[in-house]
Amino acid sequence: MKREPFFWVSISCGIVIMAFILLPLIQLLTSPSVGMLRESIGDRDVVRSIWLSIYTAGLAALISFVFGTPLAYLLARYDFRGKRLVEGIIDLPIAIPHPVVGIAILSVAGKNHFFGQILAELGVRIMGSVTGIVTVLTFVGIPFYLNAAKAGFEAVSPRLERVSRSLGASMFGTFVRITFPLAWRSMLIGIIMCSARAISEFGAVVIVAYHPMIAPVLIYERFEAYGLKYSQPVAVWLVSISLILFLLLRILTLHKVEEQ
Amino acid sequence: MRAAILFRWTWCAMVAIILILTQGQAFAEVSGKIVIFNAGSLTIPLAQMEKEFEANYPQVDVLREAAGSQKCARKISDLKKPCDIMASADYKVIDKLLIPNYADWNIRFATNQLVLCYTDKSKYAGEVNAKNWYEILARKGVIWGHSEPNLDPCGYRALMVLQLAEKYYKIPGLYARLVANRPKENIRPKSVELVSLLQTGNMDYAWEYLSVAVQHGLKYILLPDQINLGNYRFDEFYSQAVVKVTGKKPGTFMDMKGGSVTYGITMIKDAPNREAAIAFLKYMLDPQGGLKILKNQGQPPFVPCRVPTGAMKSSLPEPLKDLVEVKD
Amino acid sequence: MIAIRGLTIDLRDFHLRDINLEIAENEFFILMGPTGAGKTVLLEAIVGLIPIKNGAISIDGRDITALPPEKRGISIVYQDYALFPHLTVLDNITYGLHFHKIDKRKAQGRLAKLLEVLNLSHLQHRLPTNLSGGEKQRVSVARALMVEPKVLLLDEPLSALDPGFREEVRGSLKKLHQTSSITFLMVTHDFSEALSLAGRAAVMNNGRIEQVGEIEDIFKRPNSAFVADFVGMKNLFHAEFKGTKALVSDLEIELGVTPPNSHGYIAIRPEDIVISRRRFSSSMRNAFSAVVTAVIDQGFYYEVRAQSGEVGFASLITKSSLIELKLRETSDVFVSFKATAVHFF
């Protein structure tokens, strides 16, 4: 069967894009020697920073999930005046330059701001702390979770929820028995997207917290201080571990699909 | 009559020659980019110098990159980033990390002293003074910090001040106690970052140069000359303080010994734009040029600037020799 | 059983204007109207899924206007079945039992009965995706009845089904209604469906109720041009009334009774109009000569349009009659109908 030109153009574009993504990645993954990789993972600072990156990103995703799910559900089901504005505000963190995010959060968290004074009284510290890091990561990651979850809820027909209500279920009961089982896949994708965004964040975190060091800050510090040779191995470990984690999550979803 | 005419003509000729000579200097064929790696504390004075210099040399574009002085040196030696001039808050960094491979000479051009900065929002701001500062810094809940000793001289200098304070006030164990109350999270790579942390209220006290405190309008405590690293007369007392920092290669270390704060400047050996760099240095090290700006901004310059040996003076580029005296 | 007073709803896309309706216990009540009339809105308002601007709803004497849906005891069956796709047929049907405390044995009994009546026993463990339209609809009905509601609302349950299935489900619904005390309220836009199922009905248009009453009444005595058109009275004419006659253009139509108003509408069902070649000598008081303008194949019947002067009539005849009368366009015919067949308003 002869394929028309549009088909070939599409294939070519696809190849270009794959090459665009893969070339730098392959270069990164193959640059460090096995020795350097082993030395890197043996360095306690490296392991600590990668672990810090993973669990702060995880916390950010968890917070996004807990607080973002009700809002996503609201936006999916209800129309109200100013809804477009709310949706625009939710997308704002994506557009703000990352150092600006860090500066803004620091300004609110310091004692020169009324909110910062409240935090100081409560003994909550943002600058140079894990709390601060998680705050920043949640700020940049929550739009990704919200949008994915909202799309997932929109895909569940409101009629199903209405029937459930008529049969005696409360709003919460309906959410647990009907909406969640049908939308959980989108929510999981949202969590993955949020985590991915959080784990790679640098510009905003480095302003709020240089120490404790997340992996991207460590990589940058090593690059600035000692050059490529000492920073690439850490980057390789971070990328590899993230890849494995995300792949695992994706496989888990596939598994469930096959079960059904 | 004839004498008067002759006098007038000579006078005009002299004026004309002087004009031509000075004009010649202003419109030299200096052009292109000048890349300067400078210590963070020089940012504001250098910004003003850049303005003045570029007004006289419109073909030139001065590009400044501020960082801790050791970091600047590493950018040159390890990362091989192209650079014309390196201005360090500690001349010793140039001596130890750049000479002899990347630089030949080192001109010491200004001093500074360390002060303890704070704002009116800082904890115990109403209480703190030159007598109780070390006791306040030891209090739980006080957030104070300095820059990274491995990247920035202001960092190891802050630690030196604390070591000297232990000796000066005769309080054994003071240094260890103070460092224990300063967790890693309160360290920043560049000392100037600490200023914005003070201003937003995220930090209570920070160690900075006097010039930086003045330039940013911060409150500060002046310390006794014996410990503030600002008076060369106390160099011997200062030398009691020693801080270990990372060395030339990763995994190596070197000892930085206490000494009065002396800023150094050099031109890198394979500077991409030697001509323009020399022109800039000639302006900067001129008592009516860059040095005047330093003085106005709270940073006492050496007038004239110094090099330690006659040999070093003779290795300087010609136009700079007149601006420098030999003094150790 | 159901009493609706002054119900007004004002949403972005839907509006209901001052709805008043009373439905007795165990009635099979039909709600009719064109698309967009507000029938589904009214149903969902009764279930409690739509915010009300004004008015009150009571079930069995109890005002439920402020109650949330889960506390009303009203089940709804949607046109697209709305089965829970992630649950089996059995789990779908027994879903409501999670929220209603019913004796286990009673529940088992009811379940068995529903499965039998609706012929679903063999489908219990299937997922909704593997069912036919009719099977889905029956599961939907079983699920709604499992919680023993006081009222069952059905939103166009038969429209999405093939004609073959429609008969089946219609029959099941009738049987279920007769063997229980549940009040049925069903929405449809198909009048013939209403005729076969219901006792009383209401016709809605543009958010208002146009006419309420026994189905026969609405069928034979529509009270407005809209309702007349809706129930399929094709011959709808504007008329002046003089004594017992209605004057339509140049035709004088005998009504047999005197209408109370001086002008209005008359309507005649197409089945009541007889087409013949020669003037009928019969008890039909109205007979006019006309010319056939169209013969339209309607499947089992033919619609014959004949023009008498300015007035066009539509009549229905069988294929055999068509052949017998040798009717085609431009044929000369007589159009006859009884005076009692003429409905005026």
Side-chain angles (χ1 to χ4, degrees):
Chain A
M1 172 176 87
K2 186 169 196 307
R3 295 207 195 260
E4 54 172 72
F6 181 72
F7 177 76
W8 293 117
V9 170
S10 309
I11 297 273
S12 317
C13 289
I15 292 179
V16 167
I17 290 179
M18 294 306 286
F20 183 64
I21 296 176
L22 284 173
L23 229 56
L25 270 180
I26 292 177
Q27 168 65 18
L28 168 72
L29 291 172
T30 54
S31 292
S33 68
V34 180
M36 285 299 302
L37 285 172
R38 215 178 297 156
E39 191 187 320
S40 221
I41 204 68
D43 185 341
R44 263 182 56 208
D45 283 334
V46 171
V47 176
R48 240 196 314 229
S49 75
I50 292 182
W51 170 239
L52 182 71
S53 274
I54 291 176
Y55 92 78
T56 48
L59 269 174
L62 184 68
I63 294 173
S64 301
F65 171 71
V66 169
F67 285 91
T69 301
L71 178 61
Y73 185 69
L74 210 87
L75 287 173
R77 286 284 172 258
Y78 296 102
D79 252 331
F80 51 88
R81 198 186 281 162
K83 183 176 175 180
R84 291 273 163 262
L85 182 66
V86 170
E87 290 174 335
I89 291 175
I90 289 174
D91 282 338
L92 266 177
I94 301 178
I96 302 179
H98 305 171
V100 176
V101 171
I103 292 167
I105 289 181
L106 259 192
S107 307
V108 172
K111 285 190 267 208
N112 257 355
H113 190 273
F114 83 87
F115 190 71
Q117 278 176 7
I118 298 175
L119 287 177
E121 308 244 334
L122 292 171
V124 174
R125 178 169 155 157
I126 295 291
M127 190 280 284
S129 69
V130 175
T131 316
I133 296 177
V134 174
T135 306
V136 171
L137 297 187
T138 308
F139 188 90
V140 298
I142 209 167
F144 292 90
Y145 175 72
L146 278 170
N147 286 327
K150 179 173 132 207
F153 294 140
E154 280 171 347
V156 175
S157 165
R159 279 207 173 159
L160 297 177
E161 296 176 346
R162 287 180 190 169
V163 172
S164 168
R165 298 288 301 278
S166 76
L167 291 170
S170 63
M171 253 184 118
F172 180 67
T174 301
F175 182 83
V176 169
R177 286 181 190 272
I178 304 296
T179 320
F180 182 78
L182 291 172
W184 73 268
R185 225 165 261 111
S186 296
M187 293 162 87
L188 185 65
I189 288 176
I191 291 176
I192 293 177
M193 299 291 330
C194 177
S195 312
R197 176 69 188 84
I199 229 180
S200 62
E201 177 54 50
F202 169 75
V205 179
V206 82
I207 296 222
V208 170
Y210 188 74
H211 287 288
M213 264 195 201
I214 53 169
V217 174
L218 183 80
I219 292 169
Y220 182 67
E221 191 224 20
R222 298 222 161 170
F223 173 71
E224 285 276 286
Y226 302 117
L228 272 179
K229 192 162 162 230
Y230 291 89
S231 63
Q232 263 167 345
V234 189
V236 171
W237 280 114
L238 180 70
V239 170
S240 310
I241 293 175
S242 308
L243 251 172
I244 292 174
L245 279 172
F246 292 133
L247 264 170
L248 261 170
L249 270 167
R250 290 270 181 175
I251 290 175
L252 266 172
T253 39
L254 259 176
H255 211 274
K256 288 269 165 161
V257 173
E258 278 168 18
E259 255 178 28
Q260 284 199 353
Chain B
M1 228 3 168
R2 252 151 118 245
I5 297 171
L6 195 63
F7 179 69
R8 217 190 293 148
W9 269 108
T10 322
W11 191 83
C12 288
M14 263 170 53
V15 170
I17 291 170
I18 290 173
L19 275 174
I20 291 171
L21 281 179
T22 47
Q23 295 269 18
Q25 290 202 349
F27 295 113
E29 323 82 24
V30 167
S31 66
K33 294 201 196 353
I34 305 178
V35 176
I36 304 181
F37 292 167
N38 61 278
S41 50
L42 288 169
T43 304
I44 294 185
L46 274 179
Q48 205 179 329
M49 287 186 219
E50 172 183 338
K51 254 209 206 120
E52 262 187 31
F53 183 74
E54 284 178 358
N56 284 333
Y57 291 83
Q59 311 277 40
V60 173
D61 188 14
V62 176
L63 302 170
R64 295 170 290 111
E65 267 180 52
S69 303
Q70 287 118 298
K71 188 162 168 184
C72 292
R74 291 233 161 72
K75 283 202 277 199
I76 297 166
S77 61
D78 291 349
L79 301 179
K80 311 274 193 282
K81 281 195 176 173
C83 173
D84 294 298
I85 296 172
M86 149 88 165
S88 170
D90 191 351
Y91 72 92
K92 293 199 191 119
V93 169
I94 296 178
D95 279 349
K96 292 197 178 189
L97 295 180
L98 291 180
I99 292 179
N101 294 331
Y102 300 94
D104 286 324
W105 43 266
N106 195 347
I107 298 179
R108 307 174 194 183
F109 66 99
T111 61
N112 218 330
Q113 62 169 281
L114 259 76
V115 295
L116 185 62
C117 299
Y118 63 103
T119 67
D120 50 7
K121 286 273 185 328
S122 304
K123 250 192 167 127
Y124 310 116
E127 218 184 297
V128 69
N129 59 37
K131 293 204 164 55
N132 63 12
W133 64 268
Y134 52 87
E135 189 259 317
I136 288 188
L137 289 189
R139 286 191 196 165
K140 214 173 151 215
V142 174
I143 301 179
W144 65 272
H146 53 81
S147 53
E148 170 66 64
N150 291 324
L151 297 174
D152 186 4
C154 193
Y156 59 71
R157 281 171 175 155
L159 293 175
M160 287 171 181
V161 170
L162 300 178
Q163 288 182 7
L164 295 171
E166 179 175 313
K167 301 209 162 29
Y168 177 71
Y169 294 111
K170 297 192 174 57
I171 306 175
L174 178 65
Y175 177 66
R177 208 164 17 112
L178 287 173
V179 172
N181 200 30
R182 185 243 59 220
K184 237 182 170 182
E185 286 75 38
N186 296 355
I187 296 181
R188 286 290 165 139
K190 210 159 75 196
S191 62
V192 173
E193 280 183 60
L194 301 169
V195 174
S196 55
L197 291 180
L198 282 175
Q199 287 170 333
T200 50
N202 279 291
M203 193 172 264
D204 296 313
Y205 297 92
W207 289 100
E208 263 298 354
Y209 295 113
L210 174 58
S211 60
V212 173
V214 167
Q215 286 156 17
H216 288 273
L218 297 169
K219 288 183 139 121
Y220 56 88
I221 306 280
L222 283 169
L223 299 173
D225 273 355
Q226 283 92 330
I227 62 174
N228 65 21
L229 299 179
N231 193 332
Y232 70 92
R233 286 204 185 85
F234 294 100
D235 267 340
E236 223 189 291
F237 189 76
Y238 295 160
S239 64
Q240 292 176 79
V242 176
V243 177
K244 193 165 31 196
V245 298
T246 49
K248 266 190 178 155
K249 286 201 157 91
T252 61
F253 294 94
M254 59 190 189
D255 281 338
M256 299 306 278
K257 223 164 57 168
S260 55
V261 174
T262 306
Y263 281 53
I265 195 165
T266 186
M267 185 171 66
I268 308 304
K269 263 187 173 173
D270 45 10
N273 195 347
R274 282 186 71 92
E275 248 172 35
I278 292 174
F280 184 82
L281 284 170
K282 194 166 162 71
Y283 155 77
M284 179 175 166
L285 302 177
D286 188 324
Q288 295 308 313
L291 297 187
K292 187 155 152 210
I293 292 179
L294 279 174
K295 184 165 172 207
N296 289 342
Q297 300 228 357
Q299 186 160 3
F302 287 140
V303 181
C305 302
R306 305 172 185 172
V307 287
T309 63
M312 190 173 277
K313 178 159 177 190
S314 39
S315 71
L316 291 174
E318 265 314 311
L320 300 180
K321 285 191 179 155
D322 288 333
L323 296 167
V324 157
E325 67 172 354
V326 177
K327 191 173 180 176
D328 194 4
Chain C
M1 168 57 75
I2 307 177
I4 303 173
R5 286 193 217 306
L7 187 64
T8 308
I9 289 180
D10 241 328
L11 287 182
R12 192 177 301 178
D13 299 324
F14 318 117
H15 305 272
L16 284 185
R17 307 256 145 76
D18 195 30
I19 303 283
N20 291 289
L21 199 56
E22 280 208 34
I23 300 171
E25 194 175 336
N26 202 216
E27 261 202 83
F28 199 126
F29 192 93
I30 297 251
L31 195 57
M32 295 180 285
T35 337
K39 316 185 290 290
T40 312
V41 182
L42 181 55
L43 282 197
E44 289 193 330
I46 297 174
V47 180
L49 297 166
I50 297 186
I52 292 176
K53 186 174 176 186
N54 233 337
I57 305 174
S58 29
I59 302 283
D60 208 7
R62 204 166 130 239
D63 189 333
I64 60 161
T65 323
L67 280 183
E70 54 267 24
K71 296 211 165 67
R72 295 192 179 197
I74 302 171
S75 288
I76 185 167
V77 173
Y78 276 111
Q79 177 181 357
D80 60 357
Y81 329 122
L83 293 182
F84 304 132
H86 60 298
L87 301 176
T88 60
V89 164
L90 187 60
D91 287 333
N92 261 282
I93 297 176
T94 55
Y95 182 78
L97 295 181
H98 292 295
F99 315 102
H100 292 83
K101 289 198 181 16
I102 302 178
D103 176 64
K104 235 188 179 159
R105 227 174 321 148
K106 256 186 95 180
Q108 293 278 31
R110 197 184 311 160
L111 177 64
K113 185 176 149 229
L114 280 172
L115 287 177
E116 195 203 309
V117 171
L118 290 166
N119 194 14
L120 293 172
S121 312
H122 59 293
L123 298 171
Q124 280 182 66
H125 302 290
R126 292 246 204 110
L127 282 175
T129 39
N130 301 328
L131 301 175
S132 72
E135 289 167 341
K136 283 194 219 180
Q137 195 57 291
R138 299 202 308 268
V139 174
S140 189
V141 172
R143 177 176 65 179
L145 292 174
M146 192 65 201
V147 292
E148 232 161 52
K150 290 210 181 84
V151 176
L152 177 62
L153 307 178
L154 302 123
D155 192 354
E156 308 224 27
L158 309 177
S159 339
L161 296 174
D162 298 330
F165 282 132
R166 251 181 248 181
E167 283 295 333
E168 208 182 304
V169 180
R170 206 185 290 172
S172 307
L173 286 178
K174 210 160 185 169
K175 188 166 172 200
L176 284 165
H177 173 247
Q178 284 162 351
T179 57
S180 72
S181 58
I182 303 174
T183 309
F184 276 47
L185 171 52
M186 183 170 120
V187 163
T188 179
H189 64 264
D190 185 336
F191 191 74
S192 51
E193 210 167 81
L195 272 177
S196 71
L197 277 172
R200 284 174 70 234
V203 178
M204 278 183 80
N205 184 33
N206 268 334
R208 277 183 220 281
I209 294 189
E210 295 257 346
Q211 186 169 354
V212 182
E214 292 287 336
I215 276 263
E216 291 269 328
D217 260 344
I218 301 180
F219 186 63
K220 292 220 165 87
R221 284 168 282 277
N223 66 8
S224 71
F226 169 78
V227 178
D229 181 53
F230 184 78
V231 300
M233 281 204 165
K234 280 205 151 136
N235 302 289
L236 186 63
F237 308 110
H238 202 92
E240 297 261 330
F241 300 130
K242 280 232 167 72
T244 59
K245 294 212 206 295
L247 301 172
V248 177
S249 265
D250 47 344
L251 291 183
E252 254 184 43
I253 296 175
E254 183 56 60
L255 299 169
V257 287
T258 313
N261 33 339
S262 60
H263 59 259
Y265 289 91
I266 61 158
I268 313 161
R269 300 207 65 88
E271 311 87 83
D272 291 337
I273 296 182
V274 180
I275 303 265
S276 57
R277 277 290 187 173
R278 276 185 287 269
R279 188 184 275 276
F280 244 54
S281 56
S282 73
S283 54
M284 292 196 210
R285 286 208 249 171
N286 293 299
F288 307 99
S289 59
V291 177
V292 174
T293 53
V295 176
I296 303 162
D297 188 342
Q298 299 280 30
F300 297 118
Y301 289 92
Y302 278 79
E303 181 179 318
V304 177
R305 299 213 184 130
Q307 191 86 4
S308 178
E310 307 268 309
V311 182
F313 289 99
S315 153
L316 286 180
I317 66 170
T318 62
K319 192 169 187 179
S320 41
S321 304
L322 183 77
I323 296 171
E324 215 180 282
L325 293 170
K326 293 196 186 56
L327 288 181
R328 68 181 92 87
E329 280 182 35
T330 69
S331 305
D332 287 314
V333 292
F334 275 91
V335 164
S336 322
F337 47 90
K338 290 190 185 158
T340 48
V342 182
H343 174 60
F344 57 84
F345 55 89

mmCIF file of all heavy atoms in Angstrom, chain B residues 43-61:
data_model
loop_
_atom_site.group_PDB
_atom_site.id
_atom_site.type_symbol
_atom_site.label_atom_id
_atom_site.label_comp_id
_atom_site.label_asym_id
_atom_site.label_seq_id
_atom_site.Cartn_x
_atom_site.Cartn_y
_atom_site.Cartn_z
ATOM 1 N N THR B 43 30.920 43.967 44.067
ATOM 2 C CA THR B 43 29.913 44.128 43.021
ATOM 3 C C THR B 43 29.467 45.572 42.836
ATOM 4 O O THR B 43 29.493 46.105 41.727
ATOM 5 C CB THR B 43 28.677 43.260 43.348
ATOM 6 O OG1 THR B 43 29.103 41.907 43.501
ATOM 7 C CG2 THR B 43 27.671 43.344 42.234
ATOM 8 N N ILE B 44 29.065 46.203 43.942
ATOM 9 C CA ILE B 44 28.515 47.547 43.786
ATOM 10 C C ILE B 44 29.564 48.569 43.356
ATOM 11 O O ILE B 44 29.325 49.356 42.429
ATOM 12 C CB ILE B 44 27.774 47.956 45.075
ATOM 13 C CG1 ILE B 44 26.550 47.052 45.234
ATOM 14 C CG2 ILE B 44 27.391 49.407 45.038
ATOM 15 C CD1 ILE B 44 25.650 47.391 46.386
ATOM 16 N N PRO B 45 30.765 48.582 43.989
ATOM 17 C CA PRO B 45 31.773 49.529 43.500
ATOM 18 C C PRO B 45 32.136 49.282 42.039
ATOM 19 O O PRO B 45 32.269 50.236 41.265
ATOM 20 C CB PRO B 45 32.986 49.261 44.402
ATOM 21 C CG PRO B 45 32.446 48.575 45.599
ATOM 22 C CD PRO B 45 31.216 47.861 45.175
ATOM 23 N N LEU B 46 32.281 47.993 41.635
ATOM 24 C CA LEU B 46 32.658 47.712 40.256
ATOM 25 C C LEU B 46 31.573 48.141 39.281
ATOM 26 O O LEU B 46 31.865 48.557 38.165
ATOM 27 C CB LEU B 46 32.934 46.208 40.069
ATOM 28 C CG LEU B 46 34.358 45.760 40.398
ATOM 29 C CD1 LEU B 46 34.500 44.266 40.212
ATOM 30 C CD2 LEU B 46 35.368 46.477 39.519
ATOM 31 N N ALA B 47 30.313 48.037 39.715
ATOM 32 C CA ALA B 47 29.236 48.464 38.824
ATOM 33 C C ALA B 47 29.384 49.937 38.487
ATOM 34 O O ALA B 47 29.215 50.350 37.339
ATOM 35 C CB ALA B 47 27.889 48.192 39.472
ATOM 36 N N GLN B 48 29.739 50.716 39.520
ATOM 37 C CA GLN B 48 29.906 52.144 39.261
ATOM 38 C C GLN B 48 31.151 52.404 38.415
ATOM 39 O O GLN B 48 31.133 53.260 37.523
ATOM 40 C CB GLN B 48 30.003 52.893 40.583
ATOM 41 C CG GLN B 48 29.568 54.334 40.406
ATOM 42 C CD GLN B 48 29.615 55.109 41.697
ATOM 43 O OE1 GLN B 48 29.410 54.544 42.763
ATOM 44 N NE2 GLN B 48 29.917 56.384 41.588
ATOM 45 N N MET B 49 32.205 51.631 38.672
ATOM 46 C CA MET B 49 33.417 51.802 37.874
ATOM 47 C C MET B 49 33.144 51.474 36.417
ATOM 48 O O MET B 49 33.631 52.138 35.505
ATOM 49 C CB MET B 49 34.525 50.874 38.397
ATOM 50 C CG MET B 49 35.124 51.316 39.710
ATOM 51 S SD MET B 49 36.518 50.240 40.088
ATOM 52 C CE MET B 49 36.343 50.047 41.818
ATOM 53 N N GLU B 50 32.347 50.438 36.223
ATOM 54 C CA GLU B 50 32.013 50.032 34.849
ATOM 55 C C GLU B 50 31.331 51.186 34.129
ATOM 56 O O GLU B 50 31.657 51.498 32.970
ATOM 57 C CB GLU B 50 31.092 48.800 34.877
ATOM 58 C CG GLU B 50 30.549 48.425 33.508
ATOM 59 C CD GLU B 50 29.590 47.247 33.552
ATOM 60 O OE1 GLU B 50 29.642 46.458 34.512
ATOM 61 O OE2 GLU B 50 28.779 47.130 32.605
ATOM 62 N N LYS B 51 30.411 51.850 34.811
ATOM 63 C CA LYS B 51 29.688 52.983 34.201
ATOM 64 C C LYS B 51 30.657 54.070 33.787
ATOM 65 O O LYS B 51 30.637 54.542 32.649
ATOM 66 C CB LYS B 51 28.704 53.549 35.242
ATOM 67 C CG LYS B 51 27.259 53.234 35.000
ATOM 68 C CD LYS B 51 26.388 54.345 35.590
ATOM 69 C CE LYS B 51 25.027 53.843 35.958
ATOM 70 N NZ LYS B 51 24.659 53.957 37.336
ATOM 71 N N GLU B 52 31.531 54.465 34.735
ATOM 72 C CA GLU B 52 32.470 55.553 34.439
ATOM 73 C C GLU B 52 33.394 55.174 33.305
ATOM 74 O O GLU B 52 33.656 55.962 32.399
ATOM 75 C CB GLU B 52 33.323 55.851 35.680
ATOM 76 C CG GLU B 52 32.817 57.034 36.475
ATOM 77 C CD GLU B 52 33.757 57.434 37.610
ATOM 78 O OE1 GLU B 52 34.977 57.250 37.461
ATOM 79 O OE2 GLU B 52 33.247 57.922 38.623
ATOM 80 N N PHE B 53 33.925 53.952 33.353
ATOM 81 C CA PHE B 53 34.890 53.516 32.356
ATOM 82 C C PHE B 53 34.259 53.454 30.974
ATOM 83 O O PHE B 53 34.844 53.920 29.989
ATOM 84 C CB PHE B 53 35.450 52.145 32.765
ATOM 85 C CG PHE B 53 36.504 51.621 31.860
ATOM 86 C CD1 PHE B 53 37.791 52.163 31.877
ATOM 87 C CD2 PHE B 53 36.236 50.594 30.963
ATOM 88 C CE1 PHE B 53 38.769 51.687 31.050
ATOM 89 C CE2 PHE B 53 37.225 50.106 30.133
ATOM 90 C CZ PHE B 53 38.495 50.663 30.170
ATOM 91 N N GLU B 54 33.051 52.878 30.906
ATOM 92 C CA GLU B 54 32.415 52.739 29.595
ATOM 93 C C GLU B 54 31.996 54.090 29.039
ATOM 94 O O GLU B 54 31.839 54.232 27.821
ATOM 95 C CB GLU B 54 31.209 51.785 29.677
ATOM 96 C CG GLU B 54 31.602 50.317 29.765
ATOM 97 C CD GLU B 54 30.397 49.387 29.894
ATOM 98 O OE1 GLU B 54 29.255 49.889 29.962
ATOM 99 O OE2 GLU B 54 30.606 48.162 29.939
ATOM 100 N N ALA B 55 31.834 55.094 29.914
ATOM 101 C CA ALA B 55 31.527 56.436 29.417
ATOM 102 C C ALA B 55 32.712 56.982 28.639
ATOM 103 O O ALA B 55 32.545 57.661 27.624
ATOM 104 C CB ALA B 55 31.173 57.352 30.582
ATOM 105 N N ASN B 56 33.932 56.659 29.127
ATOM 106 C CA ASN B 56 35.121 57.116 28.405
ATOM 107 C C ASN B 56 35.505 56.195 27.255
ATOM 108 O O ASN B 56 36.172 56.617 26.317
ATOM 109 C CB ASN B 56 36.310 57.198 29.377
ATOM 110 C CG ASN B 56 36.197 58.426 30.254
ATOM 111 O OD1 ASN B 56 35.588 59.409 29.852
ATOM 112 N ND2 ASN B 56 36.749 58.341 31.455
ATOM 113 N N TYR B 57 35.161 54.972 27.338
ATOM 114 C CA TYR B 57 35.504 54.004 26.291
ATOM 115 C C TYR B 57 34.227 53.337 25.787
ATOM 116 O O TYR B 57 33.932 52.201 26.116
ATOM 117 C CB TYR B 57 36.430 52.913 26.853
ATOM 118 C CG TYR B 57 37.806 53.393 27.211
ATOM 119 C CD1 TYR B 57 38.029 54.003 28.429
ATOM 120 C CD2 TYR B 57 38.875 53.220 26.332
ATOM 121 C CE1 TYR B 57 39.294 54.433 28.765
ATOM 122 C CE2 TYR B 57 40.130 53.653 26.674
ATOM 123 C CZ TYR B 57 40.342 54.265 27.899
ATOM 124 O OH TYR B 57 41.601 54.687 28.236
ATOM 125 N N PRO B 58 33.461 54.045 24.981
ATOM 126 C CA PRO B 58 32.150 53.513 24.589
ATOM 127 C C PRO B 58 32.225 52.223 23.767
ATOM 128 O O PRO B 58 31.245 51.505 23.662
ATOM 129 C CB PRO B 58 31.519 54.641 23.771
ATOM 130 C CG PRO B 58 32.601 55.633 23.495
ATOM 131 C CD PRO B 58 33.736 55.380 24.404
ATOM 132 N N GLN B 59 33.402 51.917 23.211
ATOM 133 C CA GLN B 59 33.501 50.702 22.400
ATOM 134 C C GLN B 59 33.663 49.460 23.241
ATOM 135 O O GLN B 59 33.711 48.349 22.730
ATOM 136 C CB GLN B 59 34.730 50.787 21.473
ATOM 137 C CG GLN B 59 34.835 52.074 20.692
ATOM 138 C CD GLN B 59 33.981 52.017 19.452
ATOM 139 O OE1 GLN B 59 32.872 51.488 19.488
ATOM 140 N NE2 GLN B 59 34.484 52.534 18.366
ATOM 141 N N VAL B 60 33.807 49.686 24.563
ATOM 142 C CA VAL B 60 34.127 48.543 25.416
ATOM 143 C C VAL B 60 32.888 48.099 26.192
ATOM 144 O O VAL B 60 32.104 48.920 26.654
ATOM 145 C CB VAL B 60 35.249 48.922 26.413
ATOM 146 C CG1 VAL B 60 35.467 47.793 27.399
ATOM 147 C CG2 VAL B 60 36.515 49.234 25.655
ATOM 148 N N ASP B 61 32.753 46.795 26.365
ATOM 149 C CA ASP B 61 31.662 46.260 27.173
ATOM 150 C C ASP B 61 32.276 45.473 28.331
ATOM 151 O O ASP B 61 32.949 44.454 28.119
ATOM 152 C CB ASP B 61 30.783 45.341 26.316
ATOM 153 C CG ASP B 61 29.533 44.922 27.060
ATOM 154 O OD1 ASP B 61 29.223 45.536 28.103
ATOM 155 O OD2 ASP B 61 28.866 43.976 26.601
#
